[in-house]
Amino acid sequence: MSAAPSLKLIERQGFAEDLHQALGHRPRSISPKYFYDEAGSALFEHICQLREYYPTRTELALLQRHAVDIADLMGPGAQLLEYGAGALNKVRCLLTHMRQPHSFVPIDISGPHLLQACTKLQAEFPGLTIEAQVGDFTGALPLPAAPAQGAGRRIGFFPGSSIGNFSPEQALDFLRLTASQLRGGSLLIGVDLIKDPALLHAAYNDSEGVTARFNLNILDRARRELGARFIADGFSHSAFYNAPMQRIEMHLLSLRKQVVELQGVDYVFEAGETLHTENSYKYSIAGFQALAGKAGYRPGPVWTDAQHWFSLHWLHAPMG
């Protein structure tokens, strides 16, 4: 039986510094990576089970349907890197069908959540080498060694349409980074497609209010970790589809004029002012393939559901 999954702290999260910067500039915005502390990660897993949230079940069905074909594309002895690994639910479909995997490298910003998920996964795949990495996967990480030349390829896995959280410019930067990390290998990536705005609105404004709690958790986290002070019911969740930009926007909306105090600094919010917490861009298949091409990838197979709500792309990384 393999040793317990290794856990390496890549970097300390600069939440305080980034929150000061976000509150000190207008329009105010902060990276959605700060959703994912332990509480936020648990809330997101709840979101993934909601009736209105179609991406998770649609992507999971695609992975289950095409797992054998994907494993054939990976080839034997592959090292699998999962960016933004979370609860590791979807990767099980791939690991079940991979042939003699070299190792699995899940990367996530929430250390306790990742370690818990890796422990469960190790029990299911006792012979699998798991090398968990805690940190921001959008930056350069000291990744474990790739398989020896000729022994297998390095394959990236980025499910959940998380690429949509980046602006097109940020998405291009990330794809270029992964193309460098995966040289000679490939990337399997989930991409949400342009669709009826009513479906999108329902997915980000669920009837149980879980997405609202997920959004508001950034403020709760600031209070828990940084001692921030603000009116308890002074902000509300706001999510809407910006059609010209082809993206869902999530904001924390100030319901009245108020002051947020953070580490001795006061930041004034006017009534109606927001802290922009997330974008979720939607793509056409051709549009995403063009973006990936700019990063150096060569498009491979694309799998979609019958409604064309979601897509899985296999992208060939450039050679070394």
Side-chain angles (χ1 to χ4, degrees):
M1 183 173 178
S2 298
S6 61
L7 185 68
K8 183 177 181 182
L9 184 61
I10 303 288
E11 63 180 13
R12 292 183 62 85
Q13 300 167 14
F15 184 34
E17 180 181 351
D18 285 356
L19 187 55
H20 277 293
Q21 184 173 5
L23 297 178
H25 294 82
R26 285 183 169 88
R28 289 166 161 150
S29 66
I30 191 166
S31 170
K33 69 182 181 182
Y34 292 116
F35 284 138
Y36 298 99
D37 64 345
E38 191 169 2
S41 294
L43 283 167
F44 182 71
E45 295 308 319
H46 189 176
I47 288 170
C48 291
Q49 306 303 315
L50 294 172
R51 174 182 55 82
E52 298 99 330
Y53 195 74
Y54 64 86
T56 299
R57 65 176 180 271
T58 307
E59 184 178 36
L60 188 57
L62 287 172
L63 288 167
Q64 291 169 338
R65 189 175 305 129
H66 301 288
V68 173
D69 294 334
I70 292 168
D72 288 342
L73 287 167
M74 290 184 182
Q79 180 188 65
L80 185 61
L81 273 65
E82 183 174 0
Y83 301 97
L88 307 179
N89 291 325
K90 295 169 187 171
V91 77
R92 286 169 164 81
C93 298
L94 304 180
L95 292 171
T96 298
H97 296 279
M98 287 177 68
R99 301 196 300 274
Q100 300 88 44
H102 172 277
S103 56
F104 174 51
V105 184
I107 308 166
D108 199 88
I109 199 167
S110 178
H113 191 69
L114 179 60
L115 183 57
Q116 182 181 45
C118 286
T119 301
K120 292 180 180 178
L121 188 72
Q122 190 76 85
E124 295 176 38
F125 297 88
L128 179 66
T129 299
I130 302 177
E131 300 183 76
Q133 307 289 303
V134 179
D136 183 355
F137 59 81
T138 64
L141 297 174
L143 297 173
Q149 188 172 6
R153 301 190 304 148
R154 176 176 276 179
I155 307 296
F157 181 43
F158 193 37
S161 70
S162 297
I163 191 69
N165 294 149
F166 304 139
S167 69
E169 296 78 17
Q170 291 169 333
L172 180 57
D173 288 343
F174 174 71
L175 289 170
R176 283 174 172 156
L177 172 67
T178 61
S180 175
Q181 293 171 336
L182 303 173
R183 286 194 177 277
S186 298
L187 175 66
L188 177 66
I189 183 169
V191 180
D192 202 7
L193 299 176
I194 297 167
K195 61 182 62 64
D196 184 346
L199 291 168
L200 295 171
H201 181 83
Y204 291 84
N205 293 277
D206 64 274
S207 58
E208 296 181 32
V210 183
T211 309
R213 297 201 300 275
F214 175 69
N215 195 11
L216 288 161
N217 182 61
I218 282 190
L219 294 177
D220 292 338
R221 181 179 178 184
R223 184 180 62 246
R224 290 191 302 266
E225 295 183 15
L226 308 176
R229 299 175 64 186
F230 48 87
I231 299 171
D233 59 351
F235 288 88
S236 69
H237 165 70
S238 175
F240 56 90
Y241 185 59
N242 183 332
M245 298 296 290
Q246 295 182 342
R247 72 188 188 194
I248 283 282
E249 294 185 16
M250 287 214 317
H251 295 252
L252 291 168
L253 172 70
S254 181
L255 298 175
R256 57 184 66 86
K257 184 173 182 177
Q258 61 180 304
V259 173
V260 174
E261 190 272 322
L262 177 65
Q263 297 178 323
V265 182
D266 289 345
Y267 298 99
V268 176
F269 274 78
E270 300 295 335
E273 192 172 4
T274 72
L275 174 62
H276 190 168
T277 52
E278 184 180 64
N279 290 320
S280 184
Y281 283 84
K282 311 305 172 185
Y283 288 91
S284 67
I285 290 174
F288 182 75
Q289 287 181 326
L291 181 68
K294 291 180 181 178
Y297 281 105
R298 179 170 55 87
V302 181
W303 300 278
T304 65
D305 59 287
Q307 297 97 331
H308 293 280
W309 286 355
F310 199 90
S311 59
L312 277 175
H313 294 248
W314 183 268
L315 302 173
H316 301 281
M319 299 302 293

